[in-house]
Amino acid sequence: MNSLAYFAAKFIKFRLAHSSAAAQRLGAEMCKDPKTKLLRLLLPLSNGPSIDQGVQTDDTDILNCTVNALKDGHIVAVPTDTIYGLACLAQNSEAVKKIYDIKGRNGNKPLAICVGEIRDIHKYCKVKVVEELLHDLLPGPVTLVFERSEVLNTDLNPFTSLVGVRIPDHAFMRRLCQMCDEPLALTSANISSQTSTVEVHEFQELWSKLAVVVDGGPIGDQSRLGSTVVDLSVLGKYHIIRPGCALSSTLDVLEHKYGLSEDSGKE
């Protein structure tokens, strides 16, 4: 028994040392550009049912680093529940411009916003559906489009009165939004018109233009379809803008549970 206890103690000591070494990777592991931090989450935190399960200490350091970069006006790459994304503070006009420049994105194509809680949606959007519908679809792989409120940055999508909003089913992303205490502008982590990415190495050509790249491992949904985008800006109606990866389940909620009808007047 003494021998068994000895080896058990040695094993625990090894695991603790290994965990400590992993924690030291924050700031120690850099991309080719010395200004870009490549930070690996200890465990992928995708598709978790609730952020109440908590974020590991090491990932809390990564959260703090990412928040600081965002608050300084930089662009970061982050994992979501569908694909990897590029994010900045939606209320920062210069950062919004940067994200378009990095992607080579058409300036007339809108950016969605990402928030941490359903209650935040009401601050930035004029919601015309019942609260229960929001809870049935979010958090999840769906972008809901509403009329924007006056609080939202007027330099974000100035060409439209609408805005898409997401709450990814991803613990790291939800906690990041909560810590920033303001919406993130979010778009796919790729050069515009190229394939969406589900691993960080797939958009490596963008790393040097980013302050932080958060590696959450391979995204579970390998379809690369991105979120289902649905316009709910007209009372009692819905319009699918992009089918995405959750079309069937989204239609089931909209039509069968809440009796919304398709807005045939929109293209």
Side-chain angles (χ1 to χ4, degrees):
M1 285 295 293
N2 288 340
S3 178
L4 181 61
Y6 170 79
F7 284 112
K10 294 288 284 184
F11 176 75
I12 292 171
K13 184 177 180 181
F14 169 79
R15 290 297 300 272
L16 289 173
H18 179 74
S19 176
S20 176
Q24 294 174 6
R25 72 185 180 282
L26 182 64
E29 183 171 342
M30 312 291 269
C31 302
K32 292 180 181 179
D33 187 320
K35 296 180 181 179
T36 305
K37 292 186 177 69
L38 173 61
L39 309 176
R40 292 193 176 97
L41 297 177
L42 191 59
L43 289 174
L45 293 175
S46 58
N47 301 325
S50 170
I51 63 166
D52 292 337
Q53 294 176 349
V55 179
Q56 299 171 29
T57 302
D58 193 46
D59 294 337
T60 299
D61 292 337
I62 295 176
L63 277 164
N64 290 331
C65 180
T66 308
V67 169
N68 290 336
L70 289 165
K71 294 288 188 182
D72 286 340
H74 297 301
I75 312 302
V76 302
V78 289
T80 74
D81 52 352
T82 54
I83 56 178
Y84 272 87
L86 300 182
C88 71
L89 295 185
Q91 302 296 75
N92 185 323
S93 298
E94 286 299 315
V96 169
K97 183 178 183 302
K98 284 183 193 175
I99 217 168
Y100 276 93
D101 292 342
I102 289 172
K103 280 180 62 76
R105 186 176 177 86
N106 185 323
N108 291 322
K109 296 181 72 173
L111 300 178
I113 63 170
C114 181
V115 297
E117 299 288 349
I118 286 177
R119 64 173 176 266
D120 298 327
I121 297 175
H122 296 277
K123 183 175 181 181
Y124 303 103
C125 304
K126 298 178 181 178
V127 179
K128 294 183 179 179
V129 297
V130 296
E131 190 78 2
E132 290 79 4
L133 187 152
L134 299 180
H135 285 273
D136 279 341
L137 293 177
L138 300 172
V142 182
T143 300
L144 303 182
V145 177
F146 297 106
E147 186 177 347
R148 60 193 289 154
S149 76
E150 293 75 13
V151 176
L152 195 61
N153 180 9
T154 56
D155 290 330
L156 179 77
N157 312 334
F159 45 84
T160 178
S161 61
L162 305 179
V163 67
V165 60
R166 283 214 67 199
I167 304 179
D169 189 7
H170 193 287
F172 179 87
M173 277 300 297
R174 291 189 66 191
R175 186 61 184 143
L176 180 64
C177 291
Q178 291 171 345
M179 291 175 66
C180 287
D181 197 29
E182 57 182 299
L184 302 183
L186 185 66
T187 184
S188 55
N190 59 322
I191 300 294
S192 190
S193 79
Q194 292 187 3
T195 304
S196 297
T197 57
V198 293
E199 297 189 52
V200 293
H201 70 84
E202 296 178 342
F203 58 93
Q204 192 165 353
E205 71 273 20
L206 299 181
W207 288 6
S208 64
K209 301 176 182 179
L210 309 173
V212 174
V213 175
V214 179
D215 183 358
I219 302 294
D221 176 23
Q222 295 287 314
S223 71
R224 301 177 189 265
L225 294 176
S227 64
T228 295
V229 183
V230 56
D231 185 344
L232 297 175
S233 62
V234 177
L235 185 63
K237 303 284 187 178
Y238 75 86
H239 173 65
I240 299 298
I241 297 175
R242 183 177 70 190
C245 64
L247 178 61
S248 178
S249 58
T250 301
L251 289 178
D252 187 55
V253 169
L254 297 178
E255 295 181 349
H256 300 146
K257 186 168 184 179
Y258 294 99
L260 272 64
S261 59
E262 186 173 7
D263 190 346
S264 57
K266 291 192 175 183
E267 297 181 357

